[in-house]
Amino acid sequence: MPNFNAASFLEELGLRATRPRQAIARILFADGQNRHVTAEWLAEEVSQQGDPVALATIYNTLHSLADAGALRMVRGTGQDNIVFDTYTRPHHHFLDERTGELTDIPDGQLTLGSLPVAPDGRTIAGYDIVIRIR
């Protein structure tokens, strides 16, 4: 995204444009590329740019961005491992169990005949398919 304005981006999402949030938003969105990131990777990137931010702030910001619809959360290799995806349109993933790398499954390569009926009193809010590979 040419001329990416992190402060405006965050404000449009209804988030305060703090210095740490702006640094994080620039890394995630300024170049317009889709990426899968962990909080630890992002903390290292922010630190390399000379603006270290506490890991708790990184996690809080990622969750705020996900709650605002700018990121998708995808479960990674373990219960506590979450990968944040900048591509928010519905799509599915391959997960390399050895490396933890998440890769988008190209559109049209996965078909699903139907979804199961939700339990009584519940509705399906969405679904994510993660195909584990080695």
Side-chain angles (χ1 to χ4, degrees):
M1 290 181 198
N3 303 318
F4 178 79
N5 183 316
S8 294
F9 175 80
L10 291 163
E11 289 166 1
E12 286 175 19
L13 292 172
L15 300 173
R16 284 186 34 238
T18 63
R19 181 189 50 78
R21 283 182 177 172
Q22 289 182 60
I24 291 166
R26 279 191 293 277
I27 290 169
L28 294 176
F29 304 108
D31 65 2
Q33 298 296 311
N34 293 321
R35 54 180 48 88
H36 302 105
V37 304
T38 62
E40 293 76 13
W41 176 88
L42 187 55
E44 181 65 28
E45 286 294 307
V46 172
S47 180
Q48 286 180 9
Q49 293 189 6
D51 200 14
V53 174
L55 188 57
T57 300
I58 300 284
Y59 272 106
N60 290 338
T61 300
L62 288 168
H63 284 280
S64 293
L65 287 166
D67 290 345
L71 295 174
R72 284 181 64 188
M73 292 191 300
V74 180
R75 295 279 174 212
T77 54
Q79 177 67 9
D80 295 331
N81 181 266
I82 298 174
V83 177
F84 294 86
D85 190 347
T86 59
Y87 184 57
T88 58
R89 291 187 50 209
H91 67 287
H92 308 292
H93 297 94
F94 287 116
L95 173 64
D96 188 317
E97 289 186 330
R98 291 184 207 155
T99 66
E101 180 183 9
L102 202 62
T103 308
D104 291 341
I105 296 174
D107 287 341
Q109 287 197 3
L110 178 69
T111 57
L112 185 63
S114 64
L115 294 176
V117 175
D120 287 342
R122 305 288 188 145
T123 59
I124 295 173
Y127 62 94
D128 296 302
I129 296 175
V130 176
I131 298 175
R132 298 176 184 282
I133 58 175
R134 292 188 182 126

